[in-house]
């Protein structure tokens, strides 16, 4: 039985597509047959982060309109054996996404044996975002530790609870997970940034992970390499922790606290 996970946010620029790429890669690295779909029609960038932009021939809208089959449009990831990418169109309008077409694609992917279908939602509440949320079994809400981002995430939670198929049909609610990105414990300590407990208190959904701020994420994205593949980095470790928690493992929360440097570190070049 395929599980549909929507990775969403109320605000752009919070690291949602970066998280979709790393989360889906992590599931595949754990041996699960996974597909990640870019729902950001007209502004696609998932294929760039996954490093497969030159291999895009057909896209999500082609499959919705029956101009191509799923087998023609799916791109096999070059890093993970069990991972496939379904890119968005750069030339069509978001309104080209129909509920009937999206449902057919999701059912076909399930019939092809995919265990996890990760939907990389556009930010906000426009048509593509609603389509990515409608059929979700679970949702990962990506937010930065700042008031405007958290407020917009709260709005997305309201939409999930009102407009998902599960809500409409009176089924068990969409399972919600909170993912906090671009977290800087030193700034939290200084009172310049909301703490993860502040964010949790506002949104009232379970925390699945904290991703530390890192310039190396941008370099990885530009190189077409999901952050989870950055061996030895805190970001890669944090995304692996997220995947492990999602799959039911008990993993201690890391990258959440600031450790003040000792005297020797301060004297010899520490922060």
């Amino acid at each position: 039985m395929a599980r549909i996970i929507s990775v969403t946010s109320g605000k752009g620029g919070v690291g949602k597509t970066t998280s979709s790429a790393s989360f889906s890669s992590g599931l595949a690295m754990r041996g699960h047959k996974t597909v990640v779909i870019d729902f950001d029609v007209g502004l696609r960038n998932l294929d760039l982060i996954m490093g497969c932009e030159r291999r895009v021939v057909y896209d999500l809208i082609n499959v919705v309109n029956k101009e191509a089959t799923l087998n023609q449009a799916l791109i096999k990831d070059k890093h993970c054996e069990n991972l496939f990418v379904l890119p968005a169109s750069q030339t069509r309008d978001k309104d080209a996404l129909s509920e009937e077409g999206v449902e057919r694609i999701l059912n076909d992917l399930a019939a092809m044996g995919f265990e996890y279908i990760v939907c990389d939602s556009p930010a906000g509440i426009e048509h593509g975002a609603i389509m990515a949320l409608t059929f979700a079994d679970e949702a990962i809400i990506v937010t930065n530790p700042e008031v405007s981002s958290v407020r917009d995430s709260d709005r997305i939670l309201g939409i999930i609870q009102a407009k998902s198929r599960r809500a409409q049909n009176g089924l068990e609610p969409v399972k919600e997970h909170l993912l906090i990105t671009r977290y800087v414990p030193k700034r939290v300590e200084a009172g310049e940034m909301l703490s993860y407990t502040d964010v949790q208190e506002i949104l009232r959904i379970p925390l699945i992970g904290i991703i530390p701020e890192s310039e190396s994420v941008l370099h990885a994205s530009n190189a077409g390499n999901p952050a989870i593949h950055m061996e030895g980095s805190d970001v890669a470790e944090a995304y692996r922790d997220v995947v492990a928690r999602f799959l039911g493992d008990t993993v201690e929360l890391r990258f959440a606290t600031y450790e003040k440097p000792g005297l020797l570190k301060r004297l010899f070049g520490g922060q």
Side-chain angles (χ1 to χ4, degrees):
M1 186 77 177
R3 199 84 179 145
I4 300 168
I5 304 118
S6 180
V7 180
T8 186
S9 66
K11 186 180 179 185
V14 299
K16 176 183 45 54
T17 298
T18 295
S19 296
S20 295
S22 287
F23 179 69
S24 55
S25 296
L27 289 172
M29 288 159 68
R30 291 282 297 260
H32 299 282
K33 188 177 181 184
T34 305
V35 59
V36 57
I37 307 173
D38 190 348
F39 274 84
D40 201 355
V41 177
L43 292 170
R44 78 172 194 225
N45 57 17
L46 178 67
D47 53 306
L48 291 170
I49 289 176
M50 302 295 288
C52 63
E53 71 278 6
R54 292 186 187 89
R55 288 189 275 157
V56 176
V57 179
Y58 296 108
D59 57 52
L60 174 62
I61 301 301
N62 292 134
V63 183
V64 166
N65 292 339
K66 299 184 179 179
E67 298 159 352
T69 66
L70 268 174
N71 282 325
Q72 288 176 301
L74 286 171
I75 301 169
K76 194 172 188 301
D77 183 63
K78 60 187 179 185
H79 301 288
C80 302
E81 184 66 28
N82 298 312
L83 182 60
F84 293 79
V85 181
L86 181 56
S89 170
Q90 279 188 314
T91 57
R92 308 289 184 96
D93 189 80
K94 291 176 173 63
D95 291 333
L97 277 175
S98 69
E99 193 166 310
E100 179 190 1
V102 170
E103 185 172 22
R104 187 186 73 247
I105 287 171
L106 295 174
N107 288 338
D108 288 349
L109 288 168
M112 291 167 71
F114 284 100
E115 296 172 69
Y116 293 106
I117 301 170
V118 179
C119 301
D120 179 33
S121 167
I125 56 171
E126 46 80 11
H127 185 66
I130 299 298
M131 286 296 98
L133 289 169
T134 297
F135 302 98
D137 298 308
E138 306 195 37
I140 296 175
I141 316 299
V142 183
T143 188
N144 292 157
E146 57 179 61
V147 172
S148 63
S149 181
V150 174
R151 183 190 61 195
D152 289 345
S153 294
D154 206 19
R155 192 176 182 197
I156 287 292
L157 288 170
I159 289 167
I160 293 169
Q161 290 157 11
K163 296 199 173 184
S164 70
R165 275 284 180 90
R166 286 180 165 271
Q168 292 169 21
N169 296 333
L171 301 174
E172 186 182 336
V174 174
K175 188 175 182 182
E176 297 157 345
H177 310 272
L178 174 62
L179 178 62
I180 302 175
T181 54
R182 306 187 70 172
Y183 198 77
V184 186
K186 186 178 181 181
R187 292 189 62 195
V188 172
E189 185 87 6
E192 299 169 359
M193 183 177 274
L194 293 175
S195 71
Y196 73 92
T197 52
D198 291 335
V199 178
Q200 267 190 295
E201 198 169 309
I202 296 166
L203 296 180
R204 300 284 181 177
I205 58 174
L207 181 68
I208 198 170
I210 291 173
I211 310 298
E213 173 74 286
S214 172
E215 286 185 15
S216 56
V217 172
L218 180 61
H219 300 313
S221 296
N222 288 339
N225 190 29
I228 199 167
H229 296 304
M230 293 164 24
E231 288 299 330
S233 70
D234 286 352
V235 170
E237 291 299 313
Y239 276 118
R240 284 178 183 158
D241 286 355
V242 168
V243 172
R245 290 189 195 99
F246 180 83
L247 294 174
D249 298 348
T250 301
V251 182
E252 184 182 351
L253 187 66
R254 298 192 281 172
F255 316 113
T257 55
Y258 173 61
E259 291 183 19
K260 292 182 180 177
L263 177 62
L264 289 176
K265 195 170 182 181
R266 290 202 303 272
L267 287 173
F268 296 101
Q271 292 296 310

